[in-house]
Amino acid sequence: MKRIISPLFLVIFILTATLGISQSDKGQFYISGTTGAIFPFQKNTTPFKDKLIVGLEGNYFVSNGISITGGVDYLTGGEQTMAVFGTRMYPGSGSFYFRHKAMVNVKNRRSNDFLLGLGNDFQINDILAAELNVDYHFIYQALGVKFGLALTF
């Protein structure tokens, strides 16, 4: 556990230290494609063990700094397709955010999950951003790390 806590604090520090201009105004759309991995806390106890994850999600900002999320994640290994629903909250005027998502397995509803996470958008130009997400999966007790590109309009 100690091996995981130190890197997690480092990631949180980097994300909060790099606050910048956010594309999170009411009425905006934010579409992102991400890829990453899921790391279980307990060996051989989670279906997500040794899995890569690829995701496509959209966010619509219902107010300044708050968006609703919908999309799909695909997990390798057991080839699970997950529908995702949730929200993002951007505190202050920065690009740092908190998020929560429900993941619903399209084929096997016993394999659902709920996660809480944080992330940061790194604006490249007016419409393109890189993003980094770190999530904790409650049901499968795993840490997910994803990165990708996003378009805002």
Side-chain angles (χ1 to χ4, degrees):
M1 183 72 164
K2 199 173 194 180
R3 293 181 298 168
I4 294 172
I5 292 175
S6 294
L8 183 60
F9 282 118
L10 179 61
V11 169
I12 292 170
F13 174 77
I14 290 170
L15 290 175
T16 56
T18 57
L19 295 176
I21 297 170
S22 168
Q23 299 287 329
S24 59
D25 295 329
K26 182 178 180 178
Q28 281 190 315
F29 287 98
Y30 190 90
I31 297 174
S32 61
T34 57
T35 187
I38 295 177
F39 306 97
F41 286 116
Q42 300 172 358
K43 294 186 179 190
N44 302 321
T45 60
T46 175
F48 286 1
K49 184 175 186 266
D50 301 323
K51 291 197 176 181
L52 298 178
I53 186 168
V54 177
L56 179 65
E57 68 181 40
N59 288 277
Y60 175 73
F61 287 88
V62 294
S63 69
N64 290 344
I66 299 175
S67 72
I68 55 174
T69 302
V72 64
D73 281 349
Y74 178 79
L75 294 102
T76 62
E79 298 184 2
Q80 299 181 50
T81 303
M82 310 286 269
V84 295
F85 309 95
T87 62
R88 281 188 184 184
M89 287 183 39
Y90 290 76
S93 61
S95 57
F96 172 78
Y97 57 86
F98 296 100
R99 70 184 195 159
H100 80 277
K101 291 195 317 187
M103 298 176 73
V104 179
N105 190 319
V106 175
K107 294 180 182 176
N108 178 6
R109 296 230 163 68
R110 293 177 185 250
S111 194
N112 300 332
D113 201 359
F114 176 76
L115 58 92
L116 290 177
L118 48 90
N120 200 15
D121 302 328
F122 302 92
Q123 287 301 131
I124 297 170
N125 58 33
D126 288 343
I127 62 168
L128 184 65
E131 76 175 31
L132 172 67
N133 302 307
V134 178
D135 301 309
Y136 178 73
H137 295 254
F138 280 90
I139 305 298
Y140 297 114
Q141 298 179 352
L143 185 71
V145 179
K146 292 170 56 176
F147 61 92
L149 292 175
L151 296 173
T152 59
F153 49 97

